[in-house]
Structures are given as C-alpha cells and as structure tokens.
Amino acid sequence: MITIIDDYISKTQCNSILNLWSNTDVIVSQDNIYHFHGFNLIPHLKKVIDIIPELLNCDFKKFRIQCTDEDIEQVETTHLHLNCYSFVIFLNDNYSGGELVFSEVSLKPKIGTMVYFTRDEAHRVENCIGKRFTLVGFLNNHLFTSQHTTLI
C-alpha cells in the first residue's frame, strides 16, 4: 500500500524541520541499498513534535532528515524496509531529479508531500542535481487511524 498526501505539512513546517539539520552530526550511508547523508532526529523528537504535532503517536524505529545531491550516486536497484510502515516527506523541491520510484509509479518531489507505505513496497531514489532533503520515518505502528486516499 502506498498513500500520497499532498500538503501534509506546510512550507513553514518544512523550513522549521530543515533548521534542525546539523552538519556536525551527519551520518553517511554508502551501502548497496541507498546513498545519503542523514541527521538522526530521535534525540530531537520533542522539537519535531512541536513542529508537526500529527507525529506525536508515532513509534519510531528510525527517524531522520536525509540529504542527497549530485555528488551522491544512487543505487539503481529497489529495496524494501524491514519495519511495517515508512514515510517520506519532501522538505524542499528546488532541485531536479530525485524522484521516488516504486514499481508502478515515479513520484516527482513536491514540498510538504508525504508518501506513506508498507514494507512490501520496493522502491528507490533517482539521482538529483541540487540538494534534496527529506524527512524519513521508519515506524513500528500505523500512523493513521482515519482513512486517507490510497493511490496504489
């Protein structure tokens, strides 16, 4: 199941999340699954909840801001996540490329849009030019209690 929610968060909320990014605490992932630079948000969870209260009841396994750019070559094969639910929220869209690709659809990033999906959805990220920032959550619980439009 893939659910796409346009304008899940506002541009102001996106900018507030981006302000949490710290270049001094960045992790680098260069494995055979996905390449990115990341900033762990678990220690900053209260600040994030103040910005996005809808995430209050999330049971995060991992939670971070991810950044990729033209210097970070992406893996061309798809991957799956081990946790039950995941989401990606696009924090900016002032770059080219960087589409989130599932088997049936390629999603052009739009600031504030959430893509919420289950662990059985293979996906990958296209290369991009410019800095692509996303808020990424790996959840142990279902985020939504109400119905949302499921596109795929």
Side-chain angles (χ1 to χ4, degrees):
M1 172 205 73
I2 303 168
T3 302
I4 302 167
I5 306 169
D6 286 331
D7 301 316
Y8 183 77
I9 64 174
S10 70
K11 288 182 181 181
T12 301
Q13 289 170 301
C14 290
N15 289 331
S16 294
I17 294 296
L18 282 172
N19 285 335
L20 298 175
W21 177 269
S22 168
N23 285 323
T24 59
D25 294 325
V26 168
I27 58 163
V28 176
S29 175
Q30 291 278 303
D31 56 23
N32 61 349
I33 297 173
Y34 182 43
H35 299 166
F36 65 89
H37 294 167
F39 178 69
N40 180 14
L41 287 173
I42 297 293
H44 309 279
L45 201 50
K46 181 175 177 354
K47 290 178 186 175
V48 174
I49 299 304
D50 287 345
I51 298 166
I52 311 172
E54 295 84 0
L55 301 180
L56 176 64
N57 295 318
C58 289
D59 179 14
F60 288 104
K61 180 175 181 178
K62 294 180 182 176
F63 189 40
R64 61 185 172 235
I65 300 171
Q66 290 182 184
C67 177
T68 186
D69 60 28
E70 61 272 7
D71 294 329
I72 304 172
E73 186 72 23
Q74 293 306 315
V75 176
E76 293 189 21
T77 57
T78 60
H79 66 273
L80 297 168
H81 295 170
L82 298 176
N83 54 295
C84 295
Y85 304 98
S86 300
F87 68 80
V88 173
I89 299 174
F90 298 106
L91 296 176
N92 70 322
D93 56 10
N94 56 341
Y95 53 90
S96 60
E99 289 83 0
L100 180 58
V101 180
F102 293 91
S103 59
E104 290 112 15
V105 68
S106 176
L107 301 171
K108 180 159 178 48
K110 182 181 167 215
I111 191 168
T113 295
M114 173 189 273
V115 182
Y116 182 75
F117 53 98
T118 54
R119 71 171 147 207
D120 56 344
E121 298 295 343
H123 60 284
R124 65 184 180 84
V125 174
E126 292 282 345
N127 288 319
C128 69
I129 298 173
K131 291 199 178 294
R132 174 191 188 266
F133 287 96
T134 52
L135 180 63
V136 179
F138 301 91
L139 305 173
N140 295 314
N141 66 321
H142 199 309
L143 176 61
F144 301 109
T145 55
S146 62
Q147 290 292 96
H148 288 271
T149 303
T150 299
L151 297 184
I152 299 170

